[in-house]
Amino acid sequence: MPNTSKPDTSKVLPKPGPDPSEKLLEDYADVFSDIVNVLVYQGESVVKPENLRDGPTASMYKTIYGRLRQKNRDVLKFDTEHGVEVRVYGLENQSKSSNIMPVRVMGYDFSSYDRDILRKKAENKAAGHEADYAAELWPEQKLCPVVTLVLYFGTEPWSGPTSLVDMLDLPENLKDYVSDYHINLVQVAFLEDEVISKFQSDFQIVAEFFKAKRLGNVRKLKYNTRKWNHVAELLDFFQTFVGFKHYQEIRQDIIEQSRKEDIVMDSVFYSIFDEAWDKGIEKGIEKGISALTETYQELHRTKEELQAKLVEKFDLTDEQAKGYIQQYWA
């Protein structure tokens, strides 16, 4: 007897993944197009902000038990020409490595392709020009390519798999029969300065921050005079990854300030990062200074040479540099 009961829709999985602050910043067309243009097209202005349309970030699927589940992308946008969808771009944010990322991305991309197929079939039906039942689409009907970028914001190298095959316990005699699926992984904190300099939006500030965080020289950012275009969203972004005291109060004060003058890093650095520096960032600095001191000793370099390097690399005064040398020079 067939099962006529309705599928259970009461248990839809909650959306996992990044904090909303990441999505809010990247959702802006100028930021989104900038990310894609630099990371996919080497800085060429291929994707125009005015041509982007928001795509659905959620898609439903049914399990073998008849229950509905939901897949959620972080950000999805359609690139259009004359109002017609021609490409699909998705962004997935990761603050830690994932051991299942290739399968996740494969599922997201499949949902986008499946949606495109259903849309084209519906258009054919509405026009009274349906393809053969088995063929489903006409030969000339091509799908929009889907490009998904995985933006990894960790300061340690990505340790998870970057392709489906990396996840499989795959016998040698099956390798020719198993299709692979690669992810487009971008390790933001490890981007070269040449790449970072190509960003034209607020994402350049984000990329500079994560690289500085990885290298332990966040304090150098206080000299950054690039204007913040999306002030509230950048503040939310930094709060997510760094955290700072009296966040709501500071946030509102800086937003009010932005209505009177341009906001740049050097005007708000201490409000945002001073407490975070005392609690966490300085530990990374000390680790870097300790390692650099050990290297200089192994190379038989002088304390004076090390002092000059510490002043340059970590934005220290001469007295601060001498204090660290006294602490770590064995």
Side-chain angles (χ1 to χ4, degrees):
M1 185 174 178
N3 181 8
T4 58
S5 61
K6 293 182 179 179
D8 178 7
T9 60
S10 62
K11 297 180 180 179
V12 176
L13 291 177
K15 178 177 180 180
D19 294 276
S21 59
E22 297 173 30
K23 179 173 180 178
L24 288 174
L25 180 63
E26 294 165 354
D27 223 5
Y28 282 97
D30 67 309
V31 178
F32 188 96
S33 60
D34 190 35
I35 292 171
V36 175
N37 282 333
V38 172
L39 299 179
V40 177
Y41 300 110
Q42 294 74 52
E44 244 187 285
S45 185
V46 175
V47 181
K48 310 292 185 185
E50 62 270 20
N51 291 341
L52 290 174
R53 301 290 181 270
D54 291 339
T57 56
S59 60
M60 305 299 295
Y61 68 99
K62 189 183 291 185
T63 70
I64 59 173
Y65 305 107
R67 294 174 180 168
L68 290 180
R69 291 292 184 261
Q70 182 171 314
K71 292 182 184 295
N72 292 278
R73 280 185 176 272
D74 291 338
V75 189
L76 182 72
K77 291 190 184 291
F78 301 126
D79 192 8
T80 65
E81 291 178 5
H82 309 294
V84 178
E85 296 172 16
V86 291
R87 286 173 292 271
V88 181
Y89 298 105
L91 300 180
E92 298 301 319
N93 298 298
Q94 288 290 123
S95 57
K96 294 182 178 179
S97 296
S98 168
N99 290 323
I100 64 166
M101 204 67 204
V103 171
R104 280 178 55 192
V105 171
M106 187 167 59
Y108 298 145
D109 291 352
F110 162 76
S111 295
S112 293
Y113 285 122
D114 192 46
R115 172 195 172 276
D116 197 16
I117 291 171
L118 294 175
R119 180 174 62 86
K120 284 179 167 58
K121 289 172 71 173
E123 290 172 353
N124 290 345
K125 185 175 182 179
H129 185 59
E130 291 182 83
D132 177 81
Y133 176 80
E136 299 195 63
L137 292 179
W138 296 102
E140 65 272 14
Q141 288 185 295
K142 304 301 182 182
L143 303 182
C144 296
V146 179
V147 176
T148 297
L149 299 177
V150 178
L151 302 181
Y152 170 58
F153 295 100
T155 54
E156 296 294 329
W158 177 269
S159 59
T162 57
S163 72
L164 180 61
V165 165
D166 292 340
M167 296 178 58
L168 305 180
D169 182 8
L170 187 60
E172 187 68 30
N173 58 355
L174 285 183
K175 285 186 177 180
D176 291 339
Y177 300 92
V178 175
S179 299
D180 203 357
Y181 205 89
H182 293 266
I183 62 173
N184 300 306
L185 176 68
V186 179
Q187 302 191 70
V188 177
F190 295 83
L191 290 174
E192 298 292 338
D193 289 341
E194 181 183 356
V195 176
I196 294 175
S197 68
K198 292 179 181 179
F199 290 113
Q200 300 299 310
S201 71
D202 287 344
F203 198 78
Q204 185 184 86
I205 298 166
V206 170
E208 288 173 339
F209 167 76
F210 280 100
K211 182 160 189 177
K213 186 168 182 276
R214 175 176 70 85
L215 296 176
N217 56 6
V218 172
R219 282 212 172 190
K220 283 194 172 182
L221 295 179
K222 69 184 179 182
Y223 302 114
N224 191 312
T225 57
R226 181 183 179 87
K227 178 187 174 183
W228 292 19
N229 293 312
H230 305 293
V231 176
E233 289 72 26
L234 273 169
L235 289 172
D236 293 344
F237 192 95
F238 289 131
Q239 166 64 6
T240 297
F241 286 99
V242 183
F244 46 96
K245 195 175 180 181
H246 308 306
Y247 164 64
Q248 290 297 342
E249 177 185 334
I250 294 172
R251 181 181 189 274
Q252 193 54 43
D253 286 346
I254 294 175
I255 291 173
E256 289 294 330
Q257 182 183 342
S258 71
R259 294 181 180 132
K260 303 172 187 175
E261 60 185 9
D262 290 345
I263 295 297
V264 297
M265 184 65 84
D266 67 359
S267 66
V268 296
F269 180 87
Y270 287 106
S271 297
I272 299 175
F273 293 118
D274 225 19
E275 177 125 349
W277 179 272
D278 293 338
K279 290 183 177 180
I281 296 174
E282 192 165 353
K283 292 180 181 177
I285 286 286
E286 291 184 357
K287 184 178 178 181
I289 291 174
S290 174
L292 191 60
T293 301
E294 184 177 342
T295 299
Y296 266 59
Q297 285 183 283
E298 290 175 352
L299 295 174
H300 304 292
R301 306 286 288 275
T302 66
K303 290 183 179 181
E304 288 73 20
E305 289 174 307
L306 175 59
Q307 179 181 326
K309 187 64 176 178
L310 294 180
V311 169
E312 174 195 350
K313 183 175 178 62
F314 297 104
D315 192 28
L316 303 175
T317 65
D318 285 325
E319 289 304 312
Q320 288 172 324
K322 287 178 182 177
Y324 280 120
I325 292 171
Q326 186 177 359
Q327 180 180 351
Y328 291 112
W329 192 280

